[in-house]
Amino acid sequence: MPAQSLATRAPGSRLREARRQLLTAGEVADGLIEASLRRSWERSRGYGLVPAGRVAGAPHASAAQLARALDRQRELASHAQPVMEFLFEQMRDTGSMVILADAQGTLLRAMGDAGFASRAQRVALRPGANWHEQWRGTNAIGTALTDGAPVVVHGGEHYLERNGFLACTAAPIIDPGGRVLGVLDISGDQRSFHPHTLGLVRLAVRTIEQKLFDARHATSLRLRLHAQPEGIGSVAEGLVALSDDGWLIGANAAALAMLGLSRADVGASTIERLLQLDMATLCAWCRQAACAPRAVRRHDGSVLWARVEASRGVLAASQGSPAIRLQAAVHSDALAALDTGDLAMQAAIGRARRVMDKPISLLLQGESGVGKEVFARAIHASGMRRDGPFVAVNCAALPETMIEAELFGYRPGAFTGASRDGAPGRIREAHGGTLLLDEIGDMPLVLQTRLLRVLQDRQVVPLGGGKPVAVDFRLVCATHRNLRAEIDAGRFREDLYYRLNGLALQLPPLRERQDKLQMVARMLRDILPDRELQLAPDLACAVARYRWPGNLRQLNSALCTACALIDDSEAMIDWVHLPDDLVDDLRGAPAVREVVDDVVDLRAQAARTLKQVVQSSGGNLSEAARCLGISRNTLYRKLRGLPSSET
């Protein structure tokens, strides 16, 4: 579909006649309007929508559901936010708004002029509403998702008459792997529509896609491509990411066009098939101090200019082979070791790195058992204070009467039962290193006041008096509680909250992670480093489906038990190696369950589960079908029916 108005600006008389035919006869004559608009109207009619009617049953996310949707799309939202703010500044006072939607059509964020926003509210053009075609008919957001291309829907081109006052311009946001992540849209009054809006939206989307590419492939070998050397580094450049053995693992739309590829070629092509180039040559270029753009040839003989980058990698020859491979230097980094492929964790790790050696407090949030202390230890071990002490205090595990002495220390004889030698306190013990205050939400109010003073003055006075002692430590706090709710309830000081919350990081629960089986492999290596163990295929499927209410703690406990029960001669963990109660849970567990109120969430969860099982079976579709209890043909049909964002 062309990236323009669906009706290619059909004369108003023809558009009015088309709508008349749609309302009276339920179909539109050939040639009256552009074919892509007609197809979209036909899809809308097939969903049972009535052009002159109101939207019935369209899902609208609750505040909690919207928060979960934003959390799931935190990578997209974080990279889109500054671009949206820039767009809004350019569009300010034009009676319009900038909107970000996810791949299911749910509006995640919006910013716009107050006057137009109030009109948009009347047709539910606001965060939480779903604008997929099946609910709203022909519209820029939903139609861009369906057709996978930029689009303008102007005035009466909207299927629902109540949306006819709008002019909407949208383009899908594609990740480096070729998946549709969401849509960026500019909507306004159709009377003030400007034809340059389409170009502005496409440029903004390309900027977001480049930011996503750079974040996703920061440790990969990358090629930046353009027809002219001056084009490298511009918004028009092509971006390619390669695995250490030369496979294409990421590309933006510009690179796919330059190389004559489709999205399906990502993960299915090698560098040698794309260009007259090999990995040995690329790696040799990387070793040079300055890598200027170089001319490379496509297989038809035409020339592109390329710059190769490996910003956080080192090159080494593989043992016993002339092939040269890329080895990420950060593999010895404790934070990098936590990255086993989940996008939410990758985002948290990336943000932690940005502030790791800066005087900014970190607040780790997440359910019990998600690995907050492990994450804090990794931050400490990866930063400049790694040679200093790491001191962890669990504020929920200590009796209230002992927390003050434990944290701040005490002088000899400060209280009954005190040591004759006194004690420095955990805060002073952390001097030069990192202090983790775990379950900070459980700290009594009176001690919150003392802690705030320590953080402000950077010195501590022990119980029983004495001179203040200067302290220097990196502060990391962790909690499973909602501290804002605790503030509202009067149980947590607001001023302390803002002192602790220099940067808040939300660690995902295990049920939402995409890397369950990779984490299993990592844990098994940690538990039994001298053995190569793996899960039986049907057990791996069950592990991927299970909800894991105890999160990483529960998974690690189960694997420790399995490693204790497995014989030295066995290489595969099976059902017999697990505790009976866990076996019952795993065998009876459906796909990961979350409380949802609409069919869109259910379909998305089903798609994620399907994808997880296929991945856990190593791409063996026969094995995946057996784990799911369906035929191979049914599995093929379900895979073909997945939304483009899940395939």
Side-chain angles (χ1 to χ4, degrees), residues 71-72 74 338 340-345 365-372 506-523 535 540-559 582 586 590-594 605 608-609 612 615:
D71 190 52
R72 288 193 295 268
R74 64 166 65 92
L338 298 182
T340 49
D342 180 75
L343 297 183
M345 278 297 290
Q365 298 172 307
E367 298 175 7
S368 295
V370 297
K372 296 186 288 292
Q506 185 76 30
L507 303 188
L510 182 54
R511 64 180 175 276
E512 293 180 3
R513 292 186 60 158
Q514 305 161 329
D515 58 347
K516 293 187 185 72
L517 297 181
Q518 293 92 326
M519 288 165 48
V520 167
R522 191 193 74 197
M523 288 181 180
L535 302 184
C541 294
V543 166
R545 293 197 307 266
Y546 184 48
R547 190 172 182 271
W548 295 104
N551 289 301
L552 300 183
R553 190 178 295 124
Q554 181 188 10
L555 175 61
N556 190 73
S557 176
L559 294 177
L582 180 59
L586 289 175
V592 175
R593 295 184 298 272
E594 290 186 58
Q605 181 59 56
R608 286 196 296 271
T609 299
Q612 280 182 344
Q615 289 177 337

Side-chain angles (χ1 to χ4, degrees), residues 428 458-462 467-471:
R428 287 176 61 185
R458 286 288 163 176
Q459 55 186 18
V460 61
V461 178
K467 293 183 179 180
V469 179
V471 287

Side-chain angles (χ1 to χ4, degrees), residues 343-408:
L343 297 183
M345 278 297 290
Q346 287 176 352
I349 290 168
R351 298 183 75 197
R353 284 193 187 284
R354 289 179 178 270
V355 301
M356 187 165 57
D357 294 318
K358 297 176 181 177
I360 297 175
S361 299
L362 280 177
L363 177 61
L364 305 182
Q365 298 172 307
E367 298 175 7
S368 295
V370 297
K372 296 186 288 292
E373 182 173 344
V374 172
F375 196 93
R377 288 184 180 276
I379 292 171
H380 171 75
S382 303
M384 295 171 58
R385 294 177 179 265
R386 67 178 68 89
D387 294 328
F390 178 87
V391 177
V393 180
N394 189 326
C395 300
L398 288 172
E400 184 172 334
T401 54
M402 292 181 58
I403 295 180
E404 187 172 18
E406 181 77 11
L407 277 178
F408 305 107

Side-chain angles (χ1 to χ4, degrees), residues 3 20 51 59 62 119 131 148 257 266 306 351 369 402 443 549 563 573 596:
R20 187 194 67 78
S62 65
R119 296 182 65 195
W131 276 70
V266 176
R351 298 183 75 197
M402 292 181 58
M443 178 176 282
C563 289
I573 294 175
V596 292

Side-chain angles (χ1 to χ4, degrees), residues 311-580:
S311 58
R312 289 199 288 174
V314 294
L315 299 169
S318 59
Q319 295 294 325
S321 170
I324 297 177
R325 55 192 293 268
L326 184 71
Q327 297 177 334
V330 291
H331 284 176
S332 59
D333 182 305
L335 270 176
L338 298 182
D339 182 0
T340 49
D342 180 75
L343 297 183
M345 278 297 290
Q346 287 176 352
I349 290 168
R351 298 183 75 197
R353 284 193 187 284
R354 289 179 178 270
V355 301
M356 187 165 57
D357 294 318
K358 297 176 181 177
I360 297 175
S361 299
L362 280 177
L363 177 61
L364 305 182
Q365 298 172 307
E367 298 175 7
S368 295
V370 297
K372 296 186 288 292
E373 182 173 344
V374 172
F375 196 93
R377 288 184 180 276
I379 292 171
H380 171 75
S382 303
M384 295 171 58
R385 294 177 179 265
R386 67 178 68 89
D387 294 328
F390 178 87
V391 177
V393 180
N394 189 326
C395 300
L398 288 172
E400 184 172 334
T401 54
M402 292 181 58
I403 295 180
E404 187 172 18
E406 181 77 11
L407 277 178
F408 305 107
Y410 55 89
R411 297 190 67 192
F415 54 88
T416 302
S419 167
R420 286 184 296 176
D421 299 323
R426 305 293 274 165
I427 291 177
R428 287 176 61 185
E429 289 176 0
H431 182 73
T434 299
L435 174 66
L436 169 64
L437 296 180
D438 200 3
E439 300 302 349
I440 186 68
D442 293 273
M443 178 176 282
L445 272 170
V446 64
L447 297 187
Q448 293 177 27
T449 304
R450 283 207 64 184
L451 176 62
L452 180 61
R453 177 57 59 88
V454 170
L455 298 179
Q456 290 172 338
D457 298 343
R458 286 288 163 176
Q459 55 186 18
V460 61
V461 178
L463 289 178
K467 293 183 179 180
V469 179
V471 287
D472 172 35
F473 55 86
R474 171 63 186 273
L475 179 64
V476 181
C477 294
T479 183
H480 72 282
R481 296 186 183 277
N482 183 331
L483 292 187
R484 289 185 180 275
E486 295 296 299
I487 292 170
D488 293 340
R491 293 188 291 266
F492 203 84
R493 290 184 61 118
E494 187 172 18
D495 49 3
L496 177 59
Y497 171 75
Y498 289 112
R499 174 69 66 169
L500 303 179
N501 187 12
L503 174 65
L505 297 175
Q506 185 76 30
L507 303 188
L510 182 54
R511 64 180 175 276
E512 293 180 3
R513 292 186 60 158
Q514 305 161 329
D515 58 347
K516 293 187 185 72
L517 297 181
Q518 293 92 326
M519 288 165 48
V520 167
R522 191 193 74 197
M523 288 181 180
L524 288 175
R525 287 194 298 270
D526 291 341
I527 298 168
L528 290 178
D530 297 329
R531 296 182 62 180
E532 293 186 5
L533 297 176
Q534 58 183 342
L535 302 184
D538 56 339
L539 178 56
C541 294
V543 166
R545 293 197 307 266
Y546 184 48
R547 190 172 182 271
W548 295 104
N551 289 301
L552 300 183
R553 190 178 295 124
Q554 181 188 10
L555 175 61
N556 190 73
S557 176
L559 294 177
C560 286
T561 300
C563 289
L565 293 177
I566 195 169
D567 291 339
D568 292 341
S569 60
E570 295 178 297
M572 185 172 290
I573 294 175
D574 214 329
W575 297 96
V576 296
H577 303 121
L578 298 178
D580 292 343

Side-chain angles (χ1 to χ4, degrees), residues 128-390:
N130 190 289
W131 276 70
H132 194 280
E133 268 192 350
Q134 73 179 98
W135 302 112
R136 310 281 173 179
T138 303
N139 73 90
I141 292 171
T143 304
L145 282 172
T146 300
D147 289 340
V151 65
V152 176
V153 180
H154 186 276
E157 296 168 8
H158 287 86
Y159 183 80
L160 298 180
E161 290 182 354
R162 66 196 308 261
N163 297 331
F165 73 95
L166 295 169
C168 305
T169 305
I173 302 169
I174 313 297
D175 82 350
R179 299 185 309 153
V180 175
L181 290 181
V183 169
L184 187 69
D185 170 86
I186 293 178
S187 291
D189 191 298
Q190 58 99 9
R191 294 170 297 182
S192 58
F193 171 74
H194 197 288
H196 292 323
T197 305
L198 176 61
L200 192 60
V201 169
R202 296 182 71 178
L203 184 64
V205 165
R206 181 165 287 191
T207 302
I208 294 170
E209 290 176 346
Q210 285 187 323
K211 288 162 66 71
L212 287 165
F213 181 95
D214 288 336
R216 188 79 58 84
H217 293 294
T219 59
S220 302
L221 190 149
R222 303 177 301 281
L223 284 176
R224 299 183 180 273
L225 305 170
H226 199 272
Q228 292 88 34
E230 297 81 8
I232 293 177
S234 73
V235 73
E237 70 180 349
L239 299 170
V240 167
L242 301 171
S243 66
D244 57 5
D245 52 357
W247 286 86
L248 176 65
I249 57 174
N252 68 351
L256 295 178
M258 292 175 192
L259 298 172
L261 303 175
S262 68
R263 295 177 192 170
D265 292 310
V266 176
S269 297
T270 62
I271 184 62
E272 290 85 357
R273 296 177 189 171
L274 307 181
L275 298 165
Q276 296 181 28
L277 199 59
D278 56 41
M279 285 296 289
T281 301
L282 283 177
C283 293
W285 289 353
C286 282
R287 289 194 184 90
Q288 299 177 10
C291 188
R294 298 171 180 267
V296 296
R297 291 191 179 275
R298 288 176 284 207
H299 287 292
D300 63 3
S302 59
V303 173
L304 287 174
W305 288 86
R307 187 173 72 215
V308 62
E309 297 177 345
S311 58
R312 289 199 288 174
V314 294
L315 299 169
S318 59
Q319 295 294 325
S321 170
I324 297 177
R325 55 192 293 268
L326 184 71
Q327 297 177 334
V330 291
H331 284 176
S332 59
D333 182 305
L335 270 176
L338 298 182
D339 182 0
T340 49
D342 180 75
L343 297 183
M345 278 297 290
Q346 287 176 352
I349 290 168
R351 298 183 75 197
R353 284 193 187 284
R354 289 179 178 270
V355 301
M356 187 165 57
D357 294 318
K358 297 176 181 177
I360 297 175
S361 299
L362 280 177
L363 177 61
L364 305 182
Q365 298 172 307
E367 298 175 7
S368 295
V370 297
K372 296 186 288 292
E373 182 173 344
V374 172
F375 196 93
R377 288 184 180 276
I379 292 171
H380 171 75
S382 303
M384 295 171 58
R385 294 177 179 265
R386 67 178 68 89
D387 294 328
F390 178 87

